[in-house]
Amino acid sequence: MRAYAVRKVTHADFEARVRRIDPQFATQGAAVAGTPARTSKRPLVSGLCGFLWAGVVIAVARNQPAIEASLLQGSLPEQYHVYIFGAIAALLAVSGVMVMMHLLRVVSRRGSARSNSAGLLAGIAAAAVMSLIPAHVYETGLGLLDENSRDMIVSASNSVRATSGLDIRGATFVTALGN
């Protein structure tokens, strides 16, 4: 049999092993190393994401007959339409659950832990309010633009079209079909 060198492990050996395994714990101690990582606070980005998310969900929820008409005109076989409407129903259900989750997070948390959820909910509220505004209000607002503003918008769209190579003049959105 082979003889093994057995020696007593000292506190210095233990500290050397801790430095090898977890250097942050070795330098900062248990109080700092055990704290969870802080999330970045970006309420404006969260608000924009909430606005876009709610806008898509509201447009899909309001225009299901238009989506059905679009599917009937398309080349997708009718037997697969059930899957499309199932995915739409799943989108609406998951969105409702996520809104409730963020609402509970805003209510239950304190301080900076709820800033992203609060921004998200503010964006959702803004999208809900924007969806309640009648279409003729938007048309009246665009009619108030003077000739210079219209020329500026046309020039901007032409420059985007020239640099990107996209021609979206004939594109229609699903939300425009239901109005």
Side-chain angles (χ1 to χ4, degrees), residues 13 21 28 33 38 54 62-63 72 90 99-100 104 111 124 128 139 144 164-165 176-177:
D13 294 332
I21 294 173
Q28 297 174 352
R38 301 185 85 185
R62 282 188 170 180
N63 295 321
L72 290 174
V99 167
M100 294 305 292
L104 287 174
I124 291 170
E139 292 168 4
L144 293 175
S164 66
L177 293 175

Coordinates of all heavy atoms in Angstrom, one line a residue, residues 13 21 28 33 38 54 62-63 72 90 99-100 104 111 124 128 139 144 164-165 176-177:
D13 N -5.2 27.6 4.6 CA -5.5 26.7 3.5 C -7.0 26.9 3.1 O -7.3 27.0 1.9 CB -5.3 25.3 3.9 CG -3.9 24.9 4.1 OD1 -3.0 25.6 3.5 OD2 -3.6 24.0 4.9
I21 N -12.1 29.7 -5.3 CA -13.4 29.3 -5.8 C -14.3 30.6 -6.0 O -15.0 30.7 -7.0 CB -14.1 28.4 -4.8 CG1 -13.3 27.0 -4.8 CG2 -15.5 28.2 -5.1 CD1 -13.8 26.1 -3.7
Q28 N -14.8 40.8 -0.5 CA -15.9 41.7 0.0 C -16.6 41.1 1.2 O -17.4 41.8 1.9 CB -16.8 42.0 -1.1 CG -16.1 42.8 -2.2 CD -17.1 43.0 -3.4 OE1 -18.2 42.5 -3.5 NE2 -16.6 43.8 -4.4
A33 N -21.4 39.8 -1.1 CA -21.4 38.7 -2.1 C -22.7 38.0 -2.1 O -23.1 37.5 -3.2 CB -20.3 37.7 -1.7
R38 N -28.4 43.8 -9.0 CA -29.5 44.8 -9.2 C -29.8 45.0 -10.7 O -28.9 44.9 -11.5 CB -29.0 46.2 -8.7 CG -28.6 46.1 -7.2 CD -28.2 47.5 -6.7 NE -29.5 48.1 -6.4 CZ -29.6 49.3 -6.0 NH1 -28.5 50.1 -5.9 NH2 -30.7 49.8 -5.6
A54 N -48.8 46.8 -25.9 CA -50.2 47.0 -25.8 C -50.8 47.4 -27.1 O -52.0 47.0 -27.4 CB -50.5 48.0 -24.7
R62 N -58.9 43.9 -31.4 CA -60.0 44.6 -32.1 C -60.3 44.1 -33.5 O -61.4 44.3 -34.0 CB -59.7 46.1 -32.1 CG -59.9 46.8 -30.8 CD -59.8 48.3 -31.0 NE -60.2 49.0 -29.8 CZ -60.2 50.2 -29.7 NH1 -59.8 51.0 -30.7 NH2 -60.6 50.8 -28.6
N63 N -59.4 43.6 -34.2 CA -59.5 43.3 -35.6 C -59.5 41.8 -36.0 O -59.0 41.4 -37.0 CB -58.4 44.0 -36.4 CG -58.5 45.5 -36.3 OD1 -59.6 46.1 -36.3 ND2 -57.3 46.2 -36.1
L72 N -58.7 34.3 -45.1 CA -59.5 33.6 -46.2 C -59.0 34.0 -47.6 O -59.1 33.3 -48.5 CB -60.9 34.0 -46.0 CG -61.6 33.3 -44.8 CD1 -63.0 33.9 -44.6 CD2 -61.6 31.8 -44.9
A90 N -53.7 32.7 -27.4 CA -52.6 32.6 -26.4 C -51.9 33.9 -26.2 O -51.5 34.2 -25.1 CB -51.6 31.5 -27.0
V99 N -49.6 41.5 -17.7 CA -50.1 42.8 -17.2 C -50.4 42.7 -15.7 O -50.0 43.5 -14.9 CB -51.3 43.3 -18.0 CG1 -51.9 44.5 -17.3 CG2 -50.8 43.8 -19.3
M100 N -51.1 41.6 -15.3 CA -51.4 41.4 -13.9 C -50.2 41.2 -13.1 O -50.1 41.6 -11.9 CB -52.4 40.2 -13.8 CG -53.8 40.4 -14.4 SD -54.6 41.9 -13.8 CE -54.9 41.5 -12.1
L104 N -49.1 43.5 -10.0 CA -48.8 43.0 -8.6 C -47.4 43.4 -8.2 O -47.2 43.7 -7.0 CB -49.0 41.5 -8.6 CG -50.4 41.0 -8.6 CD1 -50.4 39.5 -8.7 CD2 -51.2 41.5 -7.4
G111 N -39.9 51.2 -3.7 CA -38.8 51.9 -4.2 C -38.4 51.6 -5.6 O -39.3 51.5 -6.5
I124 N -48.6 50.9 -21.3 CA -49.8 50.2 -21.6 C -51.0 51.1 -21.4 O -51.9 51.1 -22.3 CB -49.9 48.9 -20.7 CG1 -48.9 47.9 -21.1 CG2 -51.3 48.3 -20.8 CD1 -48.8 46.8 -20.1
A128 N -53.7 52.3 -24.3 CA -55.1 52.1 -24.1 C -55.8 53.4 -24.3 O -56.9 53.4 -25.0 CB -55.4 51.5 -22.7
E139 N -57.3 62.3 -38.1 CA -57.4 62.9 -39.5 C -57.5 64.4 -39.4 O -56.9 65.1 -40.2 CB -58.6 62.3 -40.2 CG -58.5 60.9 -40.5 CD -59.8 60.2 -41.0 OE1 -60.8 61.0 -41.1 OE2 -59.8 59.0 -41.2
L144 N -54.5 69.7 -40.1 CA -54.0 71.0 -39.6 C -52.6 71.3 -40.0 O -52.1 72.4 -39.8 CB -54.2 71.0 -38.1 CG -55.6 71.0 -37.5 CD1 -55.6 71.0 -36.0 CD2 -56.4 72.3 -38.0
S164 N -32.9 53.1 -47.5 CA -33.1 51.7 -47.1 C -33.5 50.8 -48.3 O -33.4 49.6 -48.2 CB -34.2 51.6 -46.1 OG -35.4 52.0 -46.6
G165 N -34.0 51.4 -49.4 CA -34.4 50.6 -50.5 C -35.8 50.0 -50.4 O -36.2 49.2 -51.2
A176 N -55.6 49.1 -40.0 CA -56.3 49.9 -41.0 C -57.5 49.2 -41.6 O -58.4 49.8 -42.1 CB -55.3 50.4 -42.0
L177 N -57.4 47.8 -41.6 CA -58.5 47.1 -42.2 C -59.8 47.2 -41.5 O -60.9 47.1 -42.0 CB -58.1 45.6 -42.4 CG -56.9 45.3 -43.3 CD1 -56.5 43.9 -43.3 CD2 -57.3 45.7 -44.7

